[in-house]
Amino acid sequence: MDDAMIRIAAALERLSPPPPAAADPLAHPAYVWREDALIAARDFSPLPLDLLRGVDAQKAALVANLERLAAGYAAQDVLLWGARGTGKSALVKASVAAVQAAYGALALVEVSADRLDTLPRLFDAIAAVRRAFVLFIDDLGFDAVGDARALRSLLEGGAEARPANARLVVTSNQRHLVPRDMGAQERAVNARDVADDQLALADRFGMSLGFHVVDQDHYLDIVRGYSAAHALPFDAADAVQWATRRGSRSGRVAWQYVVDLAGREGRAL
């Protein structure tokens, strides 16, 4: 029986795909952290920074921080929070690309939100590399405070410091990353202790950038910018009707409208 089990295990191992080969950490602009290896991103083509409208303050702050990181200076971990579809993820990628064009010594590493426990191994993989890394975690959120404690320790307070060439840049629809449980505060002996625990993760980020609901003028400005960049006709009334049918205005809805407009015009983007 033991021999049979050994043969079955060996056969299954032969059938399983080999782990992906790690990419050269100096050779690519962007990577995906997958199966404890840096895998080169297939297509890293961020929007130009000037196409991101209405977020000038956030843009300037993030780019300046990433420039410091690329230059080897002190830089902050960054939390971009706020309304959905307002350009948080697009700004991260566009800012990285802009700094790469100016300095070169910066790469983006996308880390899935369900693989936070592997971050120490990622730190080990890049600590000795002569390049700066933005560790990008998109759409992060936790159902409970306890789920966030491991990341809190990694950001600040753990025994082993993160490498100086890596900083986390996180996007979330939630300002504090964990839900505020007002009932827990009311039931607690010391309500401030509960509030501090709920806010402790967001406080670990040295830079917090808020993104807010897009009004109609802002929405139309985004559409106008996309249309001009792709030589498409701009029709404000048509763009507003599209947003009305979608039931929201945002940078994401503006881009979806432009995709639809390009298709109607017989154009590829």
Side-chain angles (χ1 to χ4, degrees), residues 52-65 78 80 91 95 207-212:
L52 300 177
R53 307 291 182 88
V55 290
D56 292 342
Q58 299 93 321
K59 187 187 307 183
L62 182 58
V63 169
N65 190 60
V78 185
L80 297 86
L91 179 58
S95 297
M207 181 177 291
S208 180
L209 304 175
F211 291 72
H212 306 290

Side-chain angles (χ1 to χ4, degrees), residues 80 129 214 222:
L80 297 86
V129 179
V214 172
I222 297 170

Side-chain angles (χ1 to χ4, degrees), residues 219-225 227-228 232-239 257 261:
Y219 165 75
L220 289 175
D221 189 40
I222 297 170
V223 172
R224 187 182 294 106
S227 299
L232 292 168
F234 173 71
D235 184 332
D238 188 49
Y257 166 73
L261 177 61

Side-chain angles (χ1 to χ4, degrees), residues 95-165:
S95 297
V96 169
V99 174
Q100 286 173 341
Y103 292 89
L106 182 71
L108 181 139
V109 180
E110 185 172 2
V111 182
S112 175
D114 62 0
R115 303 202 67 232
L116 299 181
D117 61 321
T118 69
L119 280 174
R121 295 195 287 277
L122 174 54
F123 295 161
D124 290 342
I126 62 178
V129 179
R130 297 181 63 84
R131 191 181 195 187
F133 293 89
V134 170
L135 309 185
F136 176 43
I137 305 172
D138 193 27
D139 197 20
L140 182 63
F142 297 96
D143 294 329
V145 173
D147 299 333
R149 290 196 177 107
L151 182 58
R152 278 162 44 180
S153 180
L154 287 171
L155 281 167
E156 183 183 317
E160 186 175 26
R162 283 169 300 131
N165 64 336

